[in-house]
Amino acid sequence: MRMDEGRQPLSRKLPISSSKINPYRMVIILRLAVLGLFFHYRIRHPVPGAYGLWMTSVICEIWFAASWILDQFPKWCPIERETYLDRLSLRYEKEGKPSELADVDVFVSTVDPMKEPPLITANTVLSILASDYPVDKVSCYVSDDGAAMLTFEALSETSEFARKWVPFSKKFNIEPRAPEWYFSQKIDYLKNKVHPSFVRERRAMKREYEEFKVRINRLVAMAEKVPEEGWTMQDGTPWPGNNVRDHPGMIQVFLGHEGVRDIEGNELPSLVYVSREKRPGFDHHKKAGAMNSLIRVSAVLSNAPYLLNVDCDHYINNSKALREAMCFLMDPTSGKKVCYVQFPQRFDGIDRHDRYSNRNVVFFDINMKGLDGLQGPIYVGTGCVFRRQALYGFDAPAKKKAPSKTCNCWPKWCCLCCGSRKSKKGKGKKDKNKKSKHKEASKQVHALETIEEGIEAVSTVDRPPISQEKLEKKFGQSPVFVASTLLQAGGMPNPVSSTSLLQEAIHVISCGYEDKTEWGKEVGWIYGSVTEDILTGFKMHCHGWRSVYCMPKRPAFKGSAPINLSDRLHQVLRWALGSVEIFLSKHCPIWYGYGGGLKWLERFSYINSVVYPWTSIPLLVYCTLPAICLLTGKFIVPEISNYASIIFIALFGTIAVTGILEMQWGGVGIDDWWRNEQFWVIGGVSSHLFALFQGLLKVLAGVSTNFTVTSKGGDEDGGFVELYLFKWTSLLIPPTTLLIINIVAVVVGVADAVNNGYDSWGPLFGRLFFAIWVIMHLYPFLKGLMGKQQGVPTVIIIWSILLSSILTLVWVRINPFVSRDGPVLEICGLNCDD
C-alpha cells in the first residue's frame, strides 16, 4: 500500500541534531548553576572600601542574568523546516484544471519618495508582478502615505514597463526578478541558458530598463522643485495630494482590468495605487493606520485569504516565495492553525565586515529558529505572509477531539496516538501472528489516518452567528467589507460592478471610517506602538494562533538597510521606543493575554522583546564602573581567592561555550556573532537609553517624538560612501562619553602603576581588563566617529576637549596619588622637630 504523493504533508520539521543541541542544553543548565555560585560569592563578599561600587555592580549583574534567562530559554527547542513545492503543485495544480492555489494580496508601503527612491519601489513592484505564482491570483497594492504625485507617476511608468519585464523574466526563469538587482549581478548569465534567443532578448531588455530608469530619474528631478501652485496632472486638474495633511482618498487601478495585457497578450497581476484620506484633527496612526486601510481596500477589490507585507525597498529575491509560504498555510494537517509565515530579512549593500551588525543574523538565524520550535516568530515584519482571518481578530480553530480509531500499530503503546484498541482481550498467538504480517501496511494506514484526522480537526472554524449590527460595530459601516469578512476562503460575496467597488473602496479609507470600531484594538494592525509588528503578532498568538519561520535556501526577500552609524542608531531607537510603549501599555505581555493559548516560553520571548530597553540603564552604569575603578584605585571585587578564581573562570567559560554552540547549530560565523555583541553595547547605551526616556515622556507626560523616514536605496558607487558619512545626532553623546572616560582612565591607571612601582601592577590587571572590555565593544562606534579616517569631525573634537577638561578638573580634585591623611614624614626620613 503506497501513499499518494499528493496527499503527503507539504512541509516537515527538522529538529537540530542531538549532537549539537544536547550539549547546548547541558551548558545552559551548567551556566545556571555557575550563576548561582557566582551570586552566592558576590553577595557574601562585599568590598569594604568600595561598598557603593560593589552594590551597584551586583544589582547590574543580577539584571543581566535575568535578561539572559529571558533571552536564552526560548531557544531551548530550535528547529528548521523543509518545504515540498512539488507536493504543493500535485495537490493544488492538477494538469488540465485551473490552479487551486489561494489568492494573495501583496502590500507595499511607502511614504516619502525623496527618501525612498521611486526606482527602488518600482523594482519591488516588478518583482511581485513577475513572481512564480498564477497571475490571476496575485494583486499588488501600493500604499502611498505621502500622497506624492511622483510615486503615482512612477507607478504609471512601472505598469508600462511590467508589460515587457514580466513575460521576459518568466520565459527565461531568471532570479531575482527585480531588474536593478538582476542586471547588477556579477555572474555569467550565459550559464545554464540554452534558449537561443536569450542573449538577444536580454540585451534588448537591458536597454529597455535603462530607458525606464531615465524616465524615472527624470520624474525625480522634476519633483525636486515643487511649483508654487502645486502639482498638476496631465489633464490639467490639480493633484489631489498637494496638501499632504489634507487630501481625499485616492485609488487608481493600473493593471488587472480588461484590455491591459503584456506584450505577448497574457494576463498580468493587478496593480493598485492607494492613498488614504487625511484630514486635520484626525489621528492617522502612521504606518499601522496605512496598513489597515490596505486591508479594507484589498478586501473590497479582491479579498484574497492571504496577505503579503513588504516594505518598498524589500524585493522578492526568490520567485517561489509565495509557494514556500503556501506549503504551511495550505497544509491540510496544520495549516488552519497558522496565522502567518515569517521569512528572515536579508540585505544588500552592506559592507563585508558589517560594522554595525545590520544583517542581524544572530536574531534571524538563532533566536527565530528557537521561537519556531515553540509557537512561532514573535513579530510580523516585512516579508511576512498573513492569514486575513487572523488579522480580523478571530480566534484560532480549536482542535476537535478525534474519534476513536483502530489500528494494528507495533509496538502496542503507539495505539495511544490514534485511539483505543478494539479490545483488551484476545492477545493470544493469533494476534501475534497477524502483527508481523500487517506491520508495514499498518504504518502506512496510520500515516494516512493521521493526515485525515488533521484535516477533520481543522477543516472549518465553527463560529457562532454574529448579528449584522455587531459586525458593523466591529468592522465599520461598509456592507461590502463586512460581507467579505465572513468568507474564510476569500473571494467576493456577490457580483458587483467595478465602479461600485471603487466607490466602496474610497469609503473604507476615509478618515472617520474607524471611529467607534475595533480597528487597531482587536482588528488589523494594533495601534499604540511604533513597532506594530510585535504588538500585532502578540495579539494573534494570544488568540491561539501559531506562526511559522521559513528559511528557504535562496533568500525569499532582500532589501536595503541604513548602513551609516547615525541612521542605524535611529533605526534601533525606533524599535526600542516601540518596545517601551508596549511595556507601558495594557498589552504588556507580563500581565496581558493569560488564558488565551500563549505558551510560557513564547511569553518569555515577548517579555524579553519589551523589557530589553530597560537594560540600557544597568548597561550604562556597568560600562562606567571601569573608569571609576581606575580613577579611584578601587574595584568591585575584593581580593580574589582560589575558590573565587574558579567561579569566575567557570562563568566566563560557560558564556564562551554557550556562544560557540549557538553559532554551531545556528550556522552563524564568529564575526557576525562578535559584531552583534558589540552593537548590543553600542545600541544599549545610546538608542535604547534615549528610547526609554522618550517612551516615559510620551506615556507619562504626553510628549511625543516624530520620526523621520530612514533613507533607503543601495550604494550605487559600490564604495560604501554612506558607511563613512557622519551625521551628528544626540544619540552619539553617551557612547562617546563612555569611550573617552574609559580611555582616559586606562592612561591614568597605567600612569599610576608606573608611578607606584611593580607591586601595583597586580591589582591593576583586573581594572584594566574591565575597561578594555568596554573599549573593545565600543570600537566599531569609534570607527564610525572617525568617518573615512580623513579627519575627525569638529563636533567630536569639541566634545572630547570638553569632557577631557571636566575629567582633568575632577582628577585634580580627587588626586589619588596623595594620601588623604597628608604626607607620611617617616618615608622621606626628615625630622621636622629638629
Side-chain angles (χ1 to χ4, degrees):
M1 185 178 188
R2 187 172 181 272
M3 191 189 307
D4 183 14
E5 181 75 12
R7 299 178 66 188
Q8 292 186 18
L10 304 180
S11 64
R12 68 165 179 163
K13 295 180 182 179
L14 298 174
I16 307 297
S17 65
S18 57
S19 61
K20 294 180 179 179
I21 197 62
N22 286 342
Y24 175 70
R25 292 169 178 164
M26 292 172 63
V27 171
I28 290 178
I29 296 173
L30 179 62
R31 184 169 169 182
L32 277 175
V34 172
L35 273 174
L37 296 174
F38 171 79
F39 284 116
H40 179 267
Y41 170 80
R42 292 284 281 132
I43 293 172
R44 291 179 61 88
H45 293 79
V47 182
Y51 192 82
L53 288 178
W54 166 80
M55 178 63 72
T56 302
S57 64
V58 169
I59 293 173
C60 293
E61 288 160 1
I62 291 174
W63 180 272
F64 295 149
S67 299
W68 172 77
I69 291 173
L70 286 176
D71 180 67
Q72 203 71 36
F73 273 86
K75 305 174 188 176
W76 189 260
C77 303
I79 63 169
E80 295 176 344
R81 294 183 185 269
E82 186 178 58
T83 57
Y84 302 104
L85 299 180
D86 52 344
R87 295 180 184 176
L88 181 74
S89 296
L90 285 172
R91 181 180 285 273
Y92 296 109
E93 292 182 301
K94 296 181 173 61
E95 190 176 353
K97 295 182 180 180
S99 173
E100 296 178 5
L101 288 174
D103 292 8
V104 181
D105 290 339
V106 186
F107 297 165
V108 181
S109 56
T110 182
V111 179
D112 186 352
M114 304 311 294
K115 294 185 177 180
E116 300 168 325
L119 186 62
I120 300 297
T121 303
N123 272 270
T124 299
V125 171
L126 290 169
S127 70
I128 294 167
L129 300 178
S131 60
D132 184 6
Y133 208 75
V135 293
D136 59 324
K137 295 182 178 294
V138 176
S139 298
C140 179
Y141 293 84
V142 180
S143 170
D144 177 18
D145 220 30
M149 188 174 173
L150 172 57
T151 303
F152 181 87
E153 294 291 348
L155 272 186
S156 178
E157 292 286 351
T158 303
S159 64
E160 284 299 314
F161 180 69
R163 298 178 62 242
K164 304 170 186 176
W165 173 254
V166 172
F168 167 78
S169 49
K170 289 190 173 183
K171 179 179 179 180
F172 298 108
N173 197 28
I174 64 170
E175 295 284 2
R177 298 188 180 180
E180 180 69 23
W181 304 106
Y182 170 69
F183 289 123
S184 64
Q185 291 181 114
K186 297 179 181 179
I187 59 173
D188 181 10
Y189 63 85
L190 298 177
K191 186 178 180 181
N192 299 328
K193 300 295 182 182
V194 295
H195 202 286
S197 63
F198 172 70
V199 177
R200 182 180 68 255
E201 292 192 34
R202 187 185 186 278
R203 289 174 180 170
M205 184 54 60
K206 190 170 184 179
R207 287 195 299 270
E208 292 280 357
Y209 179 63
E210 293 299 328
E211 294 175 2
F212 169 72
K213 288 175 65 175
V214 170
R215 293 194 296 272
I216 295 293
N217 291 332
R218 185 185 299 120
L219 291 173
V220 174
M222 291 173 58
E224 290 179 352
K225 188 176 181 180
V226 182
E228 293 182 2
E229 66 278 6
W231 297 109
T232 303
M233 293 189 292
Q234 294 179 358
D235 60 359
T237 58
W239 171 247
N242 279 324
N243 189 338
V244 177
R245 295 178 178 84
D246 188 3
H247 64 84
M250 295 177 283
I251 297 176
Q252 175 66 44
V253 181
F254 285 110
L255 297 175
H257 52 279
E258 295 181 1
V260 180
R261 294 179 176 269
D262 64 27
I263 57 175
E264 296 182 359
N266 299 318
E267 187 179 356
L268 286 167
S270 298
L271 175 60
V272 183
Y273 170 88
V274 179
S275 182
R276 58 178 173 149
E277 182 186 18
K278 286 191 176 181
R279 301 297 181 192
F282 285 88
D283 188 355
H284 299 101
H285 301 289
K286 300 180 181 177
K287 183 179 178 180
M291 299 303 292
N292 284 339
S293 294
L294 285 184
I295 293 177
R296 297 192 293 270
V297 167
S298 63
V300 171
L301 297 182
S302 52
N303 197 34
Y306 302 107
L307 313 171
L308 167 61
N309 169 42
V310 293
D311 287 342
C312 63
D313 62 322
H314 271 72
Y315 63 91
I316 296 181
N317 183 64
N318 183 346
S319 62
K320 298 184 184 297
L322 293 177
R323 294 178 177 270
E324 295 276 356
M326 291 305 123
C327 285
F328 301 102
L329 293 166
M330 298 186 70
D331 193 302
T333 60
S334 58
K336 295 292 183 180
K337 294 275 288 184
V338 177
C339 59
Y340 60 84
V341 178
Q342 177 67 59
F343 293 89
Q345 293 185 33
R346 306 299 187 198
F347 302 98
D348 293 307
I350 298 177
D351 67 303
R352 181 170 59 89
H353 300 290
D354 193 14
R355 183 184 296 177
Y356 308 124
S357 190
N358 277 289
R359 293 191 181 92
N360 211 1
V361 291
V362 172
F363 175 76
F364 289 118
D365 292 11
I366 293 179
N367 295 51
M368 295 290 271
K369 286 181 181 178
L371 295 175
D372 199 17
L374 303 177
Q375 201 169 351
I378 63 172
Y379 84 111
V380 286
T382 184
C384 184
V385 183
F386 299 86
R387 183 182 300 275
R388 187 186 286 269
Q389 291 287 307
L391 275 173
Y392 286 160
F394 292 121
D395 291 333
K399 189 170 183 179
K400 297 179 181 178
K401 192 173 181 179
S404 297
K405 289 182 173 64
T406 302
C407 72
N408 297 316
C409 297
W410 179 266
K412 297 175 184 179
W413 51 261
C414 92
C415 295
L416 298 174
C417 302
C418 56
S420 58
R421 294 183 291 271
K422 280 186 179 179
S423 174
K424 294 183 180 179
K425 298 180 180 180
K427 298 179 182 177
K429 296 180 180 180
K430 186 176 181 180
D431 289 337
K432 291 182 180 179
N433 293 333
K434 287 182 179 180
K435 284 173 184 173
S436 59
K437 183 177 181 181
H438 296 290
K439 182 178 179 181
E440 293 300 323
S442 64
K443 287 182 180 179
Q444 297 175 1
V445 171
H446 182 56
L448 274 173
E449 287 176 339
T450 303
I451 290 179
E452 298 300 331
E453 178 185 340
I455 295 173
E456 181 182 354
V458 294
S459 58
T460 59
V461 182
D462 295 330
R463 299 195 190 106
I466 307 175
S467 66
Q468 184 72 14
E469 182 180 355
K470 289 184 178 180
L471 287 172
E472 290 182 354
K473 187 176 181 180
K474 181 177 183 179
F475 296 112
Q477 301 289 327
S478 171
V480 176
F481 176 72
V482 169
S484 70
T485 62
L486 302 177
L487 302 175
Q488 298 176 41
M492 305 308 296
N494 294 308
V496 184
S497 66
S498 58
T499 305
S500 300
L501 288 179
L502 284 175
Q503 291 177 350
E504 197 66 24
I506 291 291
H507 170 55
V508 298
I509 60 173
S510 60
C511 285
Y513 184 82
E514 295 183 357
D515 291 348
K516 298 180 181 179
T517 67
E518 294 187 9
W519 282 100
K521 302 171 185 174
E522 297 294 334
V523 178
W525 268 263
I526 307 302
Y527 302 151
S529 171
V530 293
T531 51
E532 67 284 336
D533 47 5
I534 294 178
L535 192 52
T536 303
F538 176 61
K539 291 282 284 189
M540 286 194 282
H541 280 128
C542 286
H543 280 283
W545 297 95
R546 56 181 296 272
S547 54
V548 166
Y549 190 55
C550 180
M551 296 181 65
K553 291 182 179 179
R554 180 180 180 85
F557 302 90
K558 278 191 174 183
S560 57
I563 63 173
N564 68 69
L565 177 59
S566 302
D567 285 347
R568 173 66 166 143
L569 289 176
H570 276 291
Q571 182 188 57
V572 175
L573 170 65
R574 178 183 178 274
W575 295 341
L577 177 60
S579 295
V580 175
E581 290 172 337
I582 297 173
F583 180 86
L584 299 174
S585 72
K586 71 172 186 178
H587 291 120
C588 179
I590 297 176
W591 53 72
Y592 183 86
Y594 288 92
L598 191 66
K599 296 181 179 179
W600 273 103
L601 287 181
E602 187 81 357
R603 183 177 295 279
F604 278 4
S605 63
Y606 272 112
I607 292 173
N608 185 51
S609 70
V610 300
V611 167
Y612 77 89
W614 295 83
T615 306
S616 59
I617 295 178
L619 182 61
L620 180 68
V621 172
Y622 209 71
C623 290
T624 309
L625 288 178
I628 297 175
C629 292
L630 284 168
L631 293 174
T632 60
K634 300 175 181 178
F635 199 38
I636 59 175
V637 179
E639 185 175 350
I640 300 178
S641 62
N642 292 335
Y643 172 74
S645 301
I646 295 173
I647 292 178
F648 280 105
I649 293 173
L651 179 62
F652 288 123
T654 52
I655 291 173
V657 174
T658 303
I660 292 171
L661 293 176
E662 276 188 358
M663 287 186 282
Q664 185 181 25
W665 62 255
V668 174
I670 190 170
D671 288 343
D672 290 317
W673 182 85
W674 175 236
R675 291 292 183 230
N676 181 78
E677 293 294 309
Q678 288 177 313
F679 200 79
W680 175 74
V681 174
I682 296 171
V685 298
S686 57
S687 299
H688 299 174
L689 184 68
F690 276 70
L692 184 59
F693 287 109
Q694 288 182 10
L696 291 171
L697 285 174
K698 182 176 181 180
V699 174
L700 301 179
V703 179
S704 61
T705 306
N706 293 323
F707 283 95
T708 55
V709 180
T710 310
S711 299
K712 307 291 177 63
D715 191 349
E716 296 181 0
D717 298 332
F720 302 107
V721 176
E722 280 286 321
L723 176 66
Y724 306 110
L725 183 64
F726 180 85
K727 300 178 183 178
W728 170 252
T729 170
S730 55
L731 294 174
L732 301 177
I733 295 176
T736 303
T737 306
L738 282 177
L739 195 58
I740 293 174
I741 64 173
N742 276 281
I743 292 175
V744 170
V746 168
V747 174
V748 169
V750 173
D752 186 12
V754 171
N755 184 67
N756 291 335
Y758 178 79
D759 292 338
S760 62
W761 284 97
L764 179 67
F765 176 77
R767 304 185 192 106
L768 281 179
F769 175 80
F770 200 10
I772 292 173
W773 177 88
V774 176
I775 295 171
M776 288 176 60
H777 279 78
L778 293 174
Y779 177 69
F781 177 82
L782 177 62
K783 293 186 69 176
L785 292 182
M786 297 299 105
K788 208 171 183 178
Q789 297 177 345
Q790 294 177 345
V792 182
T794 305
V795 67
I796 299 301
I797 296 176
I798 296 173
W799 185 248
S800 301
I801 293 174
L802 178 63
L803 282 176
S804 300
S805 302
I806 295 173
L807 288 171
T808 302
L809 293 173
V810 173
W811 180 256
V812 172
R813 179 69 182 85
I814 295 174
N815 199 8
F817 294 121
V818 179
S819 173
R820 293 300 175 206
D821 299 327
V824 181
L825 300 181
E826 287 77 10
I827 295 178
C828 63
L830 298 177
N831 188 354
C832 297
D833 294 333
D834 293 341

